[in-house]
Amino acid sequence: TARRAGTLAPPVLDAILQSVTPEASTNPLAPDALANMEYSSELATDGVALLENGVYTESIAPDSASVIEIRLLPAPIAYGTLDEQDSAAVLLAENGGGSGTFVNLAVVQAPEGTPVNVANAPLGDRVQVQALAIADNQITVEMLAQGPDDPMCCPSQQTTQVYELQGDTLVLVDETTGAAEGSSESALAGTTWVWSETQMNDGAIKTPATEGAFTLTFGED
């Protein structure tokens, strides 16, 4: 035999719905979470900086107009696994009130559901990070750093650094550098030049007594 199921009265349905409390699932390593958490910082008075919307500021002195600023760079950010933990690698730009802006690499993990800054490493003053990646339990940083002849404002030395998380420390395990952007290093390597003439400041021209007598050869390095 078949029997038609009874229908629930609206008040009963309302009571059932009100008794259900949906729980929203959030990613503790999402960009918004990374921008609103504590990071270790040697510039901050207490050694930690609580970022709000990606920024932390602190007066250098009570009557000083200069401030310490610690800012989370919005990009690049890398995600992956370090020591079997879901991890995020982010960049902090820290300014102590002077002209320099020091960029630090920071690792964030959330083993108990709350994001924690577990380790930091300095990358340099005013470096320009182009890419971050987490793979094979390592963090790879590609950036422009100051070359031998670069002014501090304008780094051009292509540099790749590889870090490993060892306990609560980021350890630099590999570093390679290439020719500075726009440099002629690769074009000069292995070439030979012949002195033909030199023009002095007063416009006078000096030439070798014997053509081709003076040469300059650049090695591969």
Side-chain angles (χ1 to χ4, degrees), residues 145-157 180 183 185:
Q146 276 74 24
D149 301 318
D150 289 344
M152 291 302 295
C153 69
C154 310
S156 66
Q157 183 77 55
S183 77
E185 179 180 323

Side-chain angles (χ1 to χ4, degrees), residues 18-112:
Q18 290 174 6
S19 68
V20 176
T21 303
E23 294 184 2
S25 176
T26 59
N27 180 0
L29 299 180
D32 184 65
L34 297 174
N36 293 275
M37 58 170 286
E38 282 188 348
Y39 290 89
S40 299
S41 172
E42 294 183 358
L43 292 182
T45 300
D46 297 332
V48 293
L50 175 58
L51 271 59
E52 295 184 8
N53 297 321
V55 181
Y56 168 85
T57 58
E58 175 186 325
S59 297
I60 293 178
D63 298 326
S64 175
S66 299
V67 297
I68 295 168
E69 182 181 86
I70 300 168
R71 182 179 298 272
L72 175 70
L73 298 183
I77 296 175
Y79 291 96
T81 303
L82 297 171
D83 291 346
E84 300 181 347
Q85 293 283 341
D86 290 338
S87 306
V90 301
L91 301 171
L92 299 173
E94 304 191 11
N95 183 288
S99 59
T101 299
F102 296 89
V103 179
N104 293 328
L105 173 65
V107 172
V108 179
Q109 296 179 333
E112 298 181 2

Side-chain angles (χ1 to χ4, degrees), residues 66-208:
S66 299
V67 297
I68 295 168
E69 182 181 86
I70 300 168
R71 182 179 298 272
L72 175 70
L73 298 183
I77 296 175
Y79 291 96
T81 303
L82 297 171
D83 291 346
E84 300 181 347
Q85 293 283 341
D86 290 338
S87 306
V90 301
L91 301 171
L92 299 173
E94 304 191 11
N95 183 288
S99 59
T101 299
F102 296 89
V103 179
N104 293 328
L105 173 65
V107 172
V108 179
Q109 296 179 333
E112 298 181 2
T114 301
V116 177
N117 177 204
V118 296
N120 292 1
L123 299 180
D125 183 9
R126 283 168 277 190
V127 299
Q128 298 176 12
V129 178
Q130 301 163 310
L132 278 178
I134 298 177
D136 299 325
N137 214 39
Q138 295 179 325
I139 304 171
T140 300
V141 183
E142 296 181 12
M143 63 184 178
L144 294 178
Q146 276 74 24
D149 301 318
D150 289 344
M152 291 302 295
C153 69
C154 310
S156 66
Q157 183 77 55
Q158 189 68 50
T159 303
T160 300
Q161 295 182 336
V162 179
Y163 290 86
E164 285 186 356
L165 181 61
Q166 298 180 7
D168 59 357
T169 304
L170 275 174
V171 179
L172 178 64
V173 295
D174 187 43
E175 181 176 33
T176 57
T177 58
E181 282 194 348
S183 77
S184 58
E185 179 180 323
S186 59
L188 289 174
T191 62
T192 298
W193 294 64
V194 179
W195 177 40
S196 59
E197 65 177 33
T198 300
Q199 183 175 1
M200 310 303 289
N201 289 339
D202 61 1
I205 301 296
K206 303 291 186 179
T207 58

